[in-house]
Amino acid sequence: MNEGVKTLFKFADLFLSTQRVDDYKKQFNDGSLKFVTLKDNVTEAIYTDLTPLQEKRKSLENNPTYVDKVIKEGGEKARAIAQKTINDVKEKMGLL
């Protein structure tokens, strides 16, 4: 099995049912696998799995105010955590 076929089966393992993957592997081993069918099924499964992420991205893209708010709030939370960590380190080093 060459690297391209191995990669295709790795994607199949991730996105298709175990039964379907096993069927494709049996077909591969007996020489009856139609790669176009496997590729089409893997592609469709990936597309289906990614659709919600694409929709969420599009929603966020259309709401820059919300994105800016989330970034600002995240920065504030990160700064608070970092400041506490810095204070803990300074205290343990005897600098406070």
Side-chain angles (χ1 to χ4, degrees):
M1 188 180 295
N2 69 39
E3 290 304 312
V5 174
K6 286 180 185 176
T7 301
L8 184 56
F9 274 108
K10 284 180 186 176
F11 279 113
D13 285 332
L14 291 170
F15 292 97
L16 299 176
S17 70
T18 303
Q19 179 60 46
R20 262 175 113 177
V21 174
D22 289 345
D23 290 344
Y24 286 129
K25 286 179 180 178
K26 286 176 191 172
Q27 291 172 22
F28 175 79
N29 289 330
D30 70 21
S32 67
L33 178 63
K34 294 181 181 175
F35 283 95
V36 69
T37 303
L38 174 57
K39 289 177 187 178
D40 286 347
N41 286 317
V42 169
T43 303
E44 182 62 33
I46 291 171
Y47 178 80
T48 299
D49 276 12
L50 292 181
T51 297
L53 295 173
Q54 292 170 338
E55 290 170 354
K56 181 66 174 179
R57 182 190 173 281
K58 192 174 286 187
S59 169
L60 292 172
E61 188 176 82
N62 292 327
N63 195 349
T65 303
Y66 172 75
V67 173
D68 291 342
K69 178 184 167 205
V70 169
I71 291 171
K72 181 180 178 196
E73 289 174 0
E76 290 169 358
K77 288 178 185 178
R79 269 189 292 287
I81 293 168
Q83 189 59 54
K84 182 183 178 325
T85 301
I86 289 170
N87 289 341
D88 289 348
V89 170
K90 285 182 178 179
E91 185 178 318
K92 288 179 181 180
M93 293 177 68
L95 300 173
L96 286 180

